[in-house]
Amino acid sequence: MKFDRDVDQKRFALLLAAKDSDYVKKVYGGYFNVFVEAFGEEGERWDLFRVVEGEFPDMDELQKYDGFVVSGSPFDAFGDELWILQLCMLLQNLDAMKKKVLGICFGHQVLCRALGGKVGRADSGWDIGLRKVEMVHDLLQLNFLDDSDEIPTCLSIIECHQDEVWEVPLCAEVVAFSNKTNVEIFTIADHVMGIQGHPEYTKDILSNLIDRLEDNKSIEKAFAEDTKSRLEKEEPDRERWEKICKGFLKRQR
């Protein structure tokens, strides 16, 4: 997908909180391309900041962006690594500026933490594979989807996490839950949205990630094999999730 760089174009930033895996680099050219393919559109400008390596946008540049996406990460959102603390400060500034911020998995959790919520290890353990997510509210009421957008109240999404949101910030609203995780989506006003799952992931990306988690002993072989077997039989609602994310990031307020 080609993206022009005209001065009047919409401009977004990916705050990448993970290093590119060998598989994603080989097949997709990096996670940045995965996100832009999922959420980007012709004529937009997308910039990459590898926050996991300490690369952040300049404060005087923030106003130039229409929205920000915070990616997943193998790090804990409740950790005290310097870059995570810097990311929390950046997210607090973006919230004060009422900038659109979309958090994915780790991004969902660290966004919650930065804005006053609580995150930690999930008592129920790893959630890996496809999960049915139940919407608490009609997404049309959130005013970032068109009336013509038909979004079911239950959607399947790829998940891969062992941490979760325990409590949302005081000003936040829980939009979706699952039988595994109480907070699958939360929003704050019309400028913050966190999604616990991975709307940008393809099944092959998750399958490779499962292999790596098994190799480094994070999960047991039997669990990995069962998860991959079930993954082959189901499909995520990727197009609908992409529509939700694009609508949130780009709908005029």
Side-chain angles (χ1 to χ4, degrees):
M1 187 179 296
K2 182 176 181 293
F3 293 87
D4 301 321
R5 293 180 177 265
D6 298 333
V7 292
D8 294 329
Q9 70 196 160
K10 285 186 176 293
R11 187 175 179 182
F12 300 93
L14 173 64
L15 306 177
L16 188 61
K19 295 182 179 180
D20 292 323
S21 69
D22 291 339
Y23 177 82
V24 169
K25 280 194 290 188
K26 178 180 178 180
V27 177
Y28 297 95
Y31 283 119
F32 176 72
N33 291 342
V34 174
F35 276 94
V36 173
E37 179 65 27
F39 303 152
E41 295 178 300
E42 198 73 30
E44 297 173 348
R45 170 173 172 171
W46 282 75
D47 297 332
L48 171 62
F49 296 94
R50 297 183 183 274
V51 294
V52 70
E53 298 176 2
E55 181 184 7
F56 287 82
D58 293 333
M59 289 296 296
D60 57 2
E61 293 285 312
L62 299 181
Q63 195 60 48
K64 298 179 180 179
Y65 287 94
D66 295 283
F68 298 80
V69 178
V70 189
S71 78
S73 176
F75 288 83
D76 296 325
F78 51 85
D80 289 327
E81 289 83 353
L82 179 59
W83 72 269
I84 294 178
L85 299 180
Q86 291 176 312
L87 179 58
C88 285
M89 292 180 61
L90 172 60
L91 295 175
Q92 291 165 2
N93 284 324
L94 294 176
D95 176 53
M97 297 170 69
K98 298 297 187 285
K99 284 292 183 181
K100 292 281 188 88
V101 182
L102 172 63
I104 303 297
C105 197
F106 165 91
H108 160 85
Q109 298 160 11
V110 77
L111 191 53
C112 175
R113 172 192 178 179
L115 301 184
K118 294 182 180 180
V119 300
R121 282 280 190 268
D123 291 335
S124 56
W126 281 96
D127 188 9
I128 305 177
L130 290 177
R131 180 71 53 187
K132 292 289 186 181
V133 171
E134 299 280 348
M135 303 297 172
V136 178
H137 299 291
D138 184 346
L139 293 181
L140 290 176
Q141 296 177 6
L142 300 179
N143 297 320
F144 57 77
L145 293 174
D146 295 324
D147 293 340
S148 60
D149 292 331
E150 296 183 5
I151 303 295
T153 57
C154 182
L155 291 175
S156 179
I157 193 170
I158 290 176
E159 304 264 9
C160 188
H161 64 99
Q162 63 174 337
D163 301 337
E164 65 181 7
V165 168
W166 288 351
E167 295 179 17
V168 296
L170 291 176
C171 51
E173 183 174 12
V174 177
V175 175
F177 68 96
S178 70
N179 61 1
K180 182 80 170 178
T181 303
N182 289 332
V183 184
E184 289 282 0
I185 302 177
F186 77 90
T187 59
I188 297 178
D190 62 354
H191 67 284
V192 168
M193 181 164 72
I195 300 177
Q196 179 57 74
H198 283 275
E200 83 286 4
Y201 266 17
T202 55
K203 293 202 302 183
D204 63 293
I205 291 176
L206 178 61
S207 181
N208 176 262
L209 180 51
I210 292 171
D211 289 340
R212 288 188 281 123
L213 290 172
E214 180 188 349
D215 289 343
N216 66 24
K217 310 300 182 183
S218 294
I219 58 176
E220 298 292 332
K221 180 178 180 180
F223 177 75
E225 291 178 347
D226 179 65
T227 302
K228 290 178 70 174
S229 177
R230 287 185 285 109
L231 185 63
E232 293 176 357
K233 303 172 185 177
E234 303 172 321
E235 295 295 332
D237 292 305
R238 288 194 72 228
E239 289 187 6
R240 288 177 172 135
W241 284 110
E242 288 175 5
K243 182 178 290 187
I244 290 170
C245 294
K246 288 179 181 179
F248 166 75
L249 285 170
K250 301 166 191 185
R251 184 74 178 264
Q252 294 295 324
R253 291 180 277 183

